[in-house]
Amino acid sequence: EMTSSLVGSEMCIRDSYYAKLMNQIELMNGFRLSAGLAYHHRTPVKKNKDTGLDLKDHNEFTPVIGLTYTPRQYYWMDGYRKEYLHSHYPTFRIELARSIPDLLGCTGNYWRMEAGMNQTVRLGLSERLSYNLSGGLFFNQHNMYFADFSYFAKRYFPEPWGDRFGGIFHNLGGDWCNASDKYIQGHLMYESPFILLRFLKPNPKAHKYLVSERFYLSQLWTPVLPNYSELGYGIGSDLFHICLLYTSPSPRDSTSS
């Protein structure tokens, strides 16, 4: 029997409830295994205005397994607790999820796989370059599903960046994150103290408040949004961060085209 697949949209959802239980262990230095279970319940609006269909409740039960590896990971011991420091090599990660149908009333039936790498490279005493590359896809879909990616989400930030502006698309609505069954994204951040502000000759007292300037560049490809970019400039300190972002093209322009 042939069944068609349909990527669901969060715009037709009235209520959404999500629970996730994860555990992570270290197999060897820098090599971590994570495993867990996720359950997602969605209650749609009574009738989808776009399709004219009456949608039923949608439940997904998804076991998840992931691997993260950083070669030659430096660390130190705080008592019995091991804390990672840095590495001269990138961190590689992969995650595989399988939505199991007919369990606890679940209807989701698909596989999801994502992979990525990220690294922060110190270029000097106060300069650093960070990048994050990842991609993912859904496959073996057998009914309607919601493309909830793990690495491509508004809530996902690369671990070592220590920054809440880089690593995600700020001007991209959350609906675009689950509008397609595959994606490729790249993020770049360059940080250095007083890149442009040194030409403005700010008040010397400002130096103790402004720690660094940052340039951001993010690029995204999906089948429904094949060329989306964000370019940003920010300043910040331990107390605050300010960032200006330029988007090309506007997601609304892509919708109308």
Side-chain angles (χ1 to χ4, degrees):
E1 181 183 16
M2 297 294 293
T3 56
S4 60
S5 299
L6 173 66
V7 177
S9 172
E10 295 290 351
M11 295 180 65
C12 64
I13 295 301
R14 186 186 66 197
D15 298 313
S16 179
Y17 304 95
Y18 182 77
K20 188 175 183 180
L21 180 64
M22 294 290 295
N23 186 42
Q24 181 175 265
I25 61 172
E26 185 185 55
L27 303 179
M28 64 181 190
N29 183 47
F31 190 44
R32 292 171 289 174
L33 169 68
S34 60
L37 300 171
Y39 180 79
H40 206 150
H41 171 80
R42 294 176 172 91
T43 301
V45 294
K46 291 185 178 181
K47 190 171 185 178
N48 189 328
K49 296 181 180 179
D50 297 329
T51 63
L53 298 177
D54 290 321
L55 302 178
K56 299 180 180 179
D57 289 359
H58 185 82
N59 303 314
E60 294 181 358
F61 179 79
T62 311
V64 182
I65 187 170
L67 293 172
T68 304
Y69 178 54
T70 305
R72 298 192 178 184
Q73 175 73 65
Y74 287 87
Y75 67 92
W76 76 299
M77 299 299 297
D78 182 10
Y80 293 100
R81 186 177 62 180
K82 182 177 183 179
E83 295 188 5
Y84 285 159
L85 298 177
H86 66 277
S87 173
H88 299 296
Y89 296 89
T91 296
F92 303 92
R93 60 192 188 276
I94 186 171
E95 184 174 285
L96 184 65
R98 169 73 166 108
S99 183
I100 302 177
D102 303 323
L103 180 64
L104 301 176
C106 295
T107 55
N109 187 2
Y110 61 81
W111 287 83
R112 173 178 60 84
M113 183 174 68
E114 294 182 76
M117 61 182 294
N118 58 271
Q119 185 182 16
T120 295
V121 181
R122 294 201 171 273
L123 305 177
L125 191 60
S126 301
E127 295 177 89
R128 60 175 180 163
L129 179 69
S130 300
Y131 66 87
N132 174 37
L133 305 172
S134 66
L137 76 159
F138 282 76
F139 59 97
N140 287 351
Q141 311 97 317
H142 295 288
N143 50 29
M144 191 185 79
Y145 65 100
F146 290 79
D148 289 326
F149 288 105
S150 179
Y151 302 156
F152 179 40
K154 300 288 286 187
R155 63 184 179 275
Y156 180 81
F157 294 90
E159 287 184 7
W161 282 33
D163 178 86
R164 286 295 173 177
F165 285 107
I168 67 170
F169 297 96
H170 285 273
N171 291 338
L172 190 67
D175 291 330
W176 287 99
C177 295
N178 56 30
S180 179
D181 62 348
K182 58 180 70 71
Y183 77 92
I184 299 175
Q185 66 174 338
H187 303 272
L188 192 68
M189 179 182 73
Y190 173 70
E191 178 181 359
S192 181
F194 297 102
I195 304 172
L196 299 180
L197 290 180
R198 62 182 176 181
F199 298 106
L200 302 178
K201 297 181 179 181
N203 190 313
K205 293 182 179 180
H207 285 254
K208 64 179 180 179
Y209 300 107
L210 301 177
V211 175
S212 65
E213 295 179 78
R214 293 167 179 169
F215 287 102
Y216 305 94
L217 176 62
S218 298
Q219 186 69 37
L220 171 67
W221 174 89
T222 71
V224 295
L225 194 61
N227 184 23
Y228 177 79
S229 305
E230 287 188 2
L231 181 65
Y233 166 77
I235 59 175
S237 69
D238 295 335
L239 301 178
F240 71 93
H241 288 89
I242 300 175
C243 183
L244 300 176
L245 291 169
Y246 170 75
T247 299
S248 176
S250 170
R252 288 174 294 182
D253 296 338
S254 300
T255 303
S256 60
S257 61

